[in-house]
Amino acid sequence: MRRSLPVALLASMAVGSILMLVVGASPGHVWWTMVTRVLGSEYQVGQVLYKATGLALTGLAVSVALDAGLFNIGGEAQLGAGIFACALVGTALPAGTPAIVAIPVCTLAAAAAGGAIGGAIGFLRAKRDAHEVITSIMFNAIVAGVVLVEGSEHIFQGGTTTGPAIVPGAELPRLPLGGSAANCALFIAIAAVALVWWLRARTTWGQAWLAVGRDPDAARHAGISVARVQILVMAGAGALAGLAATSFVMGHKHALEEGLGAGTGLLGIVAALLGRLHPVGVGIASLLLGFLSVGGLAVGDLVPKELTEVLLGVVLLAVATAAAWERRAAA
Amino acid sequence: MIASVLTLAFLAQAIRIAVPYAFAALGGAVQERSGVIDLALEAKLLFGAFAAAAVGHATGSAVCGIAGGVAAGMTVALVQAWCALWLAADQVIIGVALNVIALGGTRFLLQAIYHEGANSPPAPAYGDAVLTNPLVPAAIVCALMVPLAVRRTRWGLRLRAAGDRPDALVAVGVSPRRTRLHAMLVGGALAGAGGAQLSLAVGGFSADMSSGRGYIALAMVILSGWRPALAALACVGVAAAQALSVQVQMHMAGGGELRRQIVDLAPLLPYVVTLLVISLYRGRDRSPPSALGKL
């Protein structure tokens, strides 16, 4: 997959350039403007880091599950549950709760809610033979529906789509980057990348989950409880996706908001595959995807900002087909 | 209360909601029975809806709009077939990628063609009309004919062979790849028609207007054990639950807190039921085509 990745990226850039030509812009000028405007401004760099924080966590949620042979398309549900729980707990805490209590409590709430959804998906797969893609889709629909209904019935304030603010103690400090949304949840994402790397590379635990992904039957014969691994990995994956709520709720909006974080769970799939399922790769891929989506906004005066949204999907398509192409070339 | 809810208006609304789901599920069932995972139903619905609105707006004719939607669905299927059958890429990932492309792509086209962020200019609208909307009888005919075609015709036999025993198909000199391509084009046309209903029912396209219907339709296909007739029926159930909730909300001025909650959450019932059925009931008659997702 090493050689195919640059090919896939070049192909995606070519598609992007064609789209730019379609709307009558000069591709070279647009790409160059995108790079200089994003990298030349503290604010834009901060926005890239903010986007990458969420994507890295939902990306890891996809990559660790795929390591164990499970396709976790339920990132939307896991993140949605995390955001809901994080905001709910954050507003329920007494007003004067100090940060040293409030931040861990809200972080745990986000991870636990996401982990519960992920664990349920893993349980249904391992014990009830229900395919994780379908149960994930159902959970995505159910969580989105419940959050919207509960939000508009009980939480959103008078006609708005925003809930009450979380206690000040639960707010994560912003990073001093030109007033951007980048916040200390970035360090949670970096810690998660490091943790997943350590688990995979240095523990028997990680070896067990990789073995289940390579060949469940062989893993079973080696004495690994495949069902247990699948449930725990999915619970962990869900917790990772749920943790992205720390950036959206505690770091940025400080409240429940309709549509907050939407799409990040789905784009995590792009980050995971572009990062070749390696935790560090997922981190780098998240930065690249964050750059693309912020860059699209930055050149909004030259081409429609939706152009880079298309490119996110094109990148995924190109990575998938290039990987298959290389697999066949090697065989 | 019950009489005031179960009116013709409710029925018309349920039908309007059911048509896109049913078309998508029929298309998904046809494609999956031929052995190709169809996670791109969402993309076919969305591009179908956009094309139907765009063509409908340009020509002023809803029928031309439908043709545009069908063509768009087939185009998505063609790209999917090329990636899945010729380039042998992972079918689940292709599906997700096409859905991401559709979400951004339709908004890109809105911006590039109409310089609009969220809505297309008005197209002919069918609204809740049941009798004048050709997509309604078309959906009913398809729901009857597609299962029959899959079960009784030579085309259907080959399609099922491609999904279950592609090697047997090779042995009699038929290309599984060609068979699958044909199934995918039919499936894409059906899903594209479903997309046309989405935008032509309200007389215009708006961003993300499929909002997960393609995923739900695929779930109904799997829930039905890959039987197109049952899948379409399950979709009618999903639509009825949604229409019921809308009607009850309209007719219920006051009502207790608990009752309001129940009514609000009612549209989620089909998803909970699907989850329960999939996890509680493991019949052998619900197993997927044995070559699904493999080349």
Side-chain angles (χ1 to χ4, degrees):
Chain A
M1 198 149 171
R2 257 169 227 284
R3 277 183 306 138
S4 67
L5 210 53
V7 177
L9 287 176
L10 280 176
S12 308
M13 276 185 72
V15 172
S17 304
I18 291 170
L19 290 177
M20 289 169 192
L21 287 173
V22 166
V23 293
S26 143
H29 177 62
V30 175
W31 288 117
W32 180 246
T33 314
M34 191 186 289
V35 171
T36 49
R37 282 193 190 163
V38 172
L39 298 184
S41 139
E42 261 189 18
Y43 170 81
Q44 301 285 20
V45 170
Q47 288 301 104
V48 171
L49 291 177
Y50 171 67
K51 293 264 181 195
T53 303
L55 283 172
L57 287 162
T58 55
L60 287 174
V62 176
S63 75
V64 298
L66 215 49
D67 273 343
L70 300 169
F71 191 71
N72 180 18
I73 194 176
E76 290 288 310
Q78 292 144 16
L79 173 57
I83 286 176
F84 191 62
C86 187
L88 222 57
V89 170
T91 45
L93 289 173
T97 312
I100 195 150
V101 177
I103 289 176
V105 166
C106 289
T107 306
L108 273 178
I117 302 281
I121 294 168
F123 174 83
L124 293 176
R125 166 64 194 255
K127 297 289 186 188
R128 308 299 317 175
D129 209 20
H131 200 279
E132 73 275 8
V133 169
I134 290 312
T135 52
S136 294
I137 290 171
M138 290 302 120
F139 274 115
N140 286 348
I142 292 169
V143 170
V146 168
V147 170
L148 189 63
V149 168
E150 293 305 310
S152 49
E153 286 277 329
H154 300 293
I155 301 167
F156 297 152
Q157 290 170 317
T160 67
T161 52
T162 307
I166 58 173
V167 295
E171 292 179 8
L172 283 174
R174 293 281 175 88
L175 298 176
L177 283 170
S180 68
N183 59 71
C184 286
L186 176 66
F187 302 115
I188 295 178
I190 293 171
V193 167
L195 177 71
V196 171
W197 176 83
W198 177 74
L199 282 172
R200 275 169 109 245
R202 293 279 184 272
T203 66
T204 50
W205 228 98
Q207 291 305 309
W209 105 49
L210 289 169
V212 168
R214 271 195 301 271
D215 187 346
D217 284 331
R220 198 171 288 119
H221 286 303
I224 298 169
S225 164
V226 173
R228 221 183 80 152
V229 168
Q230 285 179 331
I231 296 171
L232 286 177
V233 164
M234 276 307 293
L240 285 166
L243 274 178
T246 57
S247 173
F248 293 115
V249 177
M250 295 156 69
H252 184 212
K253 293 289 185 180
H254 305 150
L256 184 68
E257 214 170 80
E258 197 198 329
L260 184 58
T264 310
L266 201 59
L267 289 181
I269 299 167
V270 188
L273 290 164
L274 188 58
R276 291 168 44 225
L277 306 187
H278 190 283
V280 178
V282 173
I284 296 169
S286 310
L287 285 171
L288 189 70
L289 297 177
F291 170 82
L292 263 185
S293 59
V294 172
L297 288 172
V299 295
D301 54 332
L302 302 175
V303 290
K305 67 177 195 309
E306 289 81 3
L307 192 144
T308 55
E309 290 171 30
V310 183
L311 280 188
L312 298 176
V314 172
V315 169
L316 183 55
L317 200 61
V319 168
T321 48
W325 166 70
E326 183 156 317
R327 222 173 19 243
R328 272 182 312 159
Chain B
M1 169 84 187
I2 288 171
S4 69
V5 167
L6 287 176
T7 54
L8 278 175
F10 162 73
L11 218 60
Q13 196 168 32
I15 290 171
R16 172 178 65 79
I17 298 174
V19 168
Y21 282 113
F23 269 126
L26 289 170
V30 167
Q31 172 166 337
E32 293 227 329
R33 280 299 275 271
S34 81
V36 185
I37 297 172
D38 197 3
L39 220 61
L41 282 175
E42 187 76 3
K44 292 168 193 171
L45 281 176
L46 209 48
F47 272 123
F50 179 84
V55 174
H57 170 72
T59 60
S61 149
V63 177
C64 291
I66 295 173
V70 168
M74 292 174 83
T75 309
V76 176
L78 207 58
V79 175
Q80 189 184 21
W82 183 58
C83 292
L85 303 178
W86 274 267
L87 301 174
D90 186 292
Q91 295 175 4
V92 172
I93 297 169
I94 298 170
V96 175
L98 285 171
N99 292 343
V100 174
I101 290 174
L103 198 59
T106 48
R107 293 179 54 206
F108 175 76
L109 289 171
L110 273 182
Q111 198 57 255
I113 302 175
Y114 305 116
H115 305 287
E116 289 282 348
N119 294 297
S120 77
Y126 287 125
D128 272 351
V130 171
L131 299 176
T132 56
N133 181 350
L135 282 166
V136 174
I140 295 169
V141 168
C142 287
L144 296 172
M145 294 305 290
V146 167
L148 217 61
V150 167
R151 214 179 318 167
R152 303 260 181 225
T153 64
R154 193 165 74 163
W155 173 78
L157 181 66
R158 288 183 172 174
L159 176 144
R160 284 180 288 136
D164 282 321
R165 290 288 307 276
D167 48 337
L169 213 50
V170 174
V172 295
V174 178
S175 152
R177 185 188 276 177
R178 279 269 285 286
T179 311
R180 285 173 173 162
L181 174 66
H182 292 165
M184 290 175 78
L185 288 175
V186 171
L190 287 165
Q197 163 74 5
L198 279 180
S199 59
L200 293 180
V202 295
F205 176 85
S206 52
D208 193 21
M209 79 183 309
S210 58
S211 57
R213 285 179 178 84
Y215 290 108
I216 302 299
L218 177 68
M220 295 304 128
V221 170
I222 292 166
L223 184 67
S224 72
W226 286 266
R227 276 179 287 243
L230 266 181
L233 205 62
C235 289
V236 174
V238 172
Q242 291 181 0
L244 192 67
S245 164
V246 173
Q247 287 288 323
V248 172
Q249 273 166 335
M250 270 165 49
H251 286 89
M252 204 175 47
E257 169 70 7
L258 184 67
R259 249 179 62 194
R260 255 212 350 260
Q261 285 270 352
I262 291 170
V263 169
D264 280 344
L265 291 172
L268 301 180
L269 195 64
Y271 312 145
V272 178
V273 171
T274 305
L275 209 50
L276 287 176
V277 171
I278 283 179
S279 36
L280 293 180
Y281 170 70
R282 279 186 290 179
R284 218 181 322 155
D285 56 329
R286 271 197 27 221
S287 57
S290 42
L292 183 62
K294 301 177 189 126
L295 266 184

